[in-house]
Amino acid sequence: MTTGDQAPVVLLVVPPGTVSPAPLAAAVQLLHPAWRVVAVWAGDPHLRPLLDDLSWFDPDGEASTLRQVQLASRAPADAIWLRALAAARRALDEGAPSAVMLVAGAVAALGSLDALVPPVGAAAVFVPRAAGPLPDDGRAPGEEELVSGGSWSPHVAGVSSSDLIAWMSRLLEIGSIEGSIGAVLDRAAVAFAVVACHDPAIGVGEWRWDVEAPSLVDLPSFDPEQCWVLDPGRGHRARIDVAANPQRAAVLARAATQLTGDIAPVSLPSGVVVDDVIRWLVSRDGDCPAPWSAPAAFRAWLEPRYWSALHGVRRDLAASFPTPRGSDAERFRDWCRRAFVDDRAAAALGVPTEPAHLDRWLTAETLAADGINLVGYLTRELSLGDVARRIGRGLADAGLVVAPLAYQRTASPQVDGAMPIVGTIAGSSSIAVVNADQFPALAMDHPELFAAGTHLVGYWFWELEHVPMQMRNAAGLVDEIWVGSRFVADSFRAVVDTPVRHVPIPVPEPVVSNRGRATFPGLTQCGDRFVFAVVFDHFSVTERKNPVGAIEAFRRAFVPDEGPVLLIKSMNAERRWPQHQQVVAAVGDRPDIIVWDEHLDRPDHMALIGAVDALVSLHRSEGLGLHLAEAMWLGTPVIATRYSGNLDLMDDDCSVLIDASLVPVQWGEGVYPVEARWADPDLDQAAAAMRSLATDPSRCAALAVAGRKRMQRQPTLADTGVLIAGLLGIQVAS
């Protein structure tokens, strides 16, 4: 325990954004009343917020030119540390024996922090990210991040040596070390008398969690609104589990107020975000005007330099404008003007990456007038791939000449026994079953398709009434837009001039494997209990599929182990780990809700849907709802949201439809914009529907018969092939 004379100054370093240091300050002052606690602002000097019960500690003048150049020329983490080190230098100069640096919003103090105070003779105390070697088990974070980011936490340290502070500041100022602050900390630990804090209660976080009652948690990416996972930005399986650990969940609940707030990117007074290009330019010319104190002069200095530098680092711009100061100068200036207006000036889109495997397609010397090029994910296991394959079967059943071209830009697995593929554009018409948002990538990957002069149709799905601008712009790449449901047709017709046609693709009767109910891992112990199932792919945006809503409806409908079971069958959890953990957290302690993640081949997947007693889809929106149609084919009653494309195939006679209101999109994963709306199904109504089906076998039987009859009334695939031929002006032999 430190006395008042030995007490360190605690520097709460506040990054730009909405992070407040007050909760962390209150916690430290409660735990260590004798310690002096101050705040250090590390953001835009002109946007430093006011504080109520805490003072700002200003080491060298907030608006100094040096301070502004550092902020504009260094990576955010480096700029934070430069500010922290300057404050630590002032604290030591004023007589403090040491300074404990904590980054507000990244750490939470829950117990004694004495272990962070450097002992006599030590230059600093650093906190190791990981205790010992990490097992190579595919969990994140892993050893590779210790190599790239450094072995020590960049969010907490105790320092007592002015020499160490000066040395670290000099390295960060010249910016000569790869890996930046992580590498600087690694070098400092070797060059100076640095003590490693091995207290397992200090630094608990996503790398290690070895105690039930931590004193300090280190969670820079924690989001209290997604408290089921430590870092919602990591898509793969996490090293530390939270959703199934009540003790850790309780710790996070205590820490949440200290970890609230968002870190904002550093922006210039004009609102332009300081990107890598600007940082590079400022670092090369330390005599540039002060970015915030002299914004007009800095803007005049930056503009002629920025575009040339941007052209130099972006391969796509170099390819589009090979001579930006020569024959391409006017075109490049036009792009620059539009990029600035579109807000891409200092937030460049980056260089598009090519798929791992990309074979160019050949183009026949003469394109057959009655030939159709079918482009899509023909060899991949995803819904769009299945739609493309069904279109191919329909065209073949109608006797049409088809050239199947497999598009490969997807992470979805390969399909067993996919249709034969060719590599030549042979027909005068093309149907590309590639969604609108991916059409620019298709044009980049296969410009030969667009150069072939074919009549190009985009067969698109979309799940919202609101169509984003990127997808609207893609309409200019096609001659026609075809869609599979009236809902999608209405969405596109409202915003594009390109002709939009509703061309429904019938859902054929599924092929089912011979697996029985008891052979599926999620159902082995269910016996004859009534089983509701939710089936979805995390790649399809988990929140849109809304399994958490189905879980909540089931919890409202039945007390634990009342009889019915809810099976949550997902796939791709390993690649969407935060979303999967949200599902696990929603289940809680209910033994009658089973979560099972596995990829099944289609016959087994269909056998599973046919083996359960009812399928539940409280979706927020569907382009069509293929799995719902397949359940109806198999005689499995369906409970579904009364909204979107599934209403083309479902009504109150053949399914149980749940009313919904429209709400703003949340957790759209960057796919669905926040300005759009989707459905919020009535969970009480869904719970009542579940109880009704579970207690009324006759109603289940009637829905099974009605659903199958509805699917049998669809046109055949051959009928669809004939329809498509007519739309393309191709004669079909009688």
Side-chain angles (χ1 to χ4, degrees), residues 198-433:
H198 290 300
D199 184 345
I202 299 289
V204 158
E206 60 171 332
W207 297 81
R208 56 186 175 87
W209 195 312
D210 301 322
V211 295
E212 289 189 6
S215 297
L216 182 128
V217 296
D218 184 357
L219 292 172
S221 300
F222 180 72
D223 180 356
E225 294 187 5
Q226 302 181 64
C227 57
W228 47 83
V229 68
L230 298 183
D231 182 356
R234 293 188 186 274
H236 291 76
R237 180 181 292 269
R239 186 161 300 285
I240 304 299
D241 179 58
V242 175
N245 191 305
Q247 291 82 9
R248 290 173 184 166
V251 169
L252 294 176
R254 289 178 56 209
T257 56
Q258 299 180 52
L259 300 172
T260 300
D262 296 317
I263 297 177
V266 176
S267 299
L268 299 173
S270 60
V272 172
V273 172
V274 176
D275 65 357
D276 289 340
V277 176
I278 294 176
R279 280 192 283 269
W280 179 74
L281 288 169
V282 175
S283 68
R284 290 182 63 209
D285 187 352
D287 294 330
C288 67
W292 286 272
S293 296
F298 181 79
R299 178 77 169 268
W301 171 88
L302 174 65
E303 284 188 355
R305 293 168 172 82
Y306 180 86
W307 301 108
S308 177
L310 183 67
H311 183 276
V313 300
R314 283 190 49 176
R315 295 196 306 271
D316 57 337
L317 293 182
S320 299
F321 313 105
T323 56
R325 294 184 180 87
S327 59
D328 296 310
E330 184 56 38
R331 290 176 54 243
F332 183 56
R333 280 194 296 270
D334 181 62
W335 183 91
C336 295
R337 286 190 291 269
R338 286 186 289 107
F340 185 79
V341 170
D342 294 343
D343 234 2
R344 289 179 287 150
L349 300 177
V351 181
T353 57
E354 290 195 347
H357 177 71
L358 180 63
D359 291 326
R360 296 295 186 192
W361 299 327
L362 303 175
T363 303
E365 290 187 10
T366 303
L367 300 179
D370 60 348
I372 301 173
N373 309 303
L374 178 61
V375 178
Y377 306 98
L378 298 170
T379 63
R380 299 297 184 131
E381 183 68 72
L382 74 167
S383 295
L384 276 179
D386 184 64
V387 169
R389 289 187 289 272
R390 281 190 281 128
I391 290 176
R393 288 195 295 271
L395 295 174
D397 289 348
L400 298 168
V401 178
V402 181
L405 300 164
Y407 189 43
Q408 302 291 357
R409 187 185 280 270
T410 175
S412 296
Q414 293 278 349
V415 171
D416 294 332
M419 62 192 302
I421 301 302
V422 300
T424 301
I425 301 167
S428 61
S429 299
S430 296
I431 303 172
V433 190

Side-chain angles (χ1 to χ4, degrees), residues 573-633:
E574 292 286 344
R575 303 287 294 278
R576 293 292 186 272
W577 192 247
Q579 292 83 350
H580 189 69
Q581 291 301 93
Q582 180 186 12
V583 174
V584 173
V587 172
D589 59 356
R590 289 293 294 257
D592 48 0
I593 305 178
I594 302 164
V595 179
W596 166 36
D597 186 87
E598 183 180 339
H599 173 256
L600 299 176
D601 61 28
R602 282 195 59 78
D604 282 353
H605 185 65
M606 293 301 101
L608 172 67
I609 291 178
V612 301
D613 297 292
L615 187 71
V616 181
S617 176
L618 299 184
H619 57 263
R620 300 198 178 278
S621 198
E622 286 283 4
L624 179 63
L626 177 62
H627 65 304
L628 306 180
E630 290 167 336
M632 292 163 67
W633 260 121

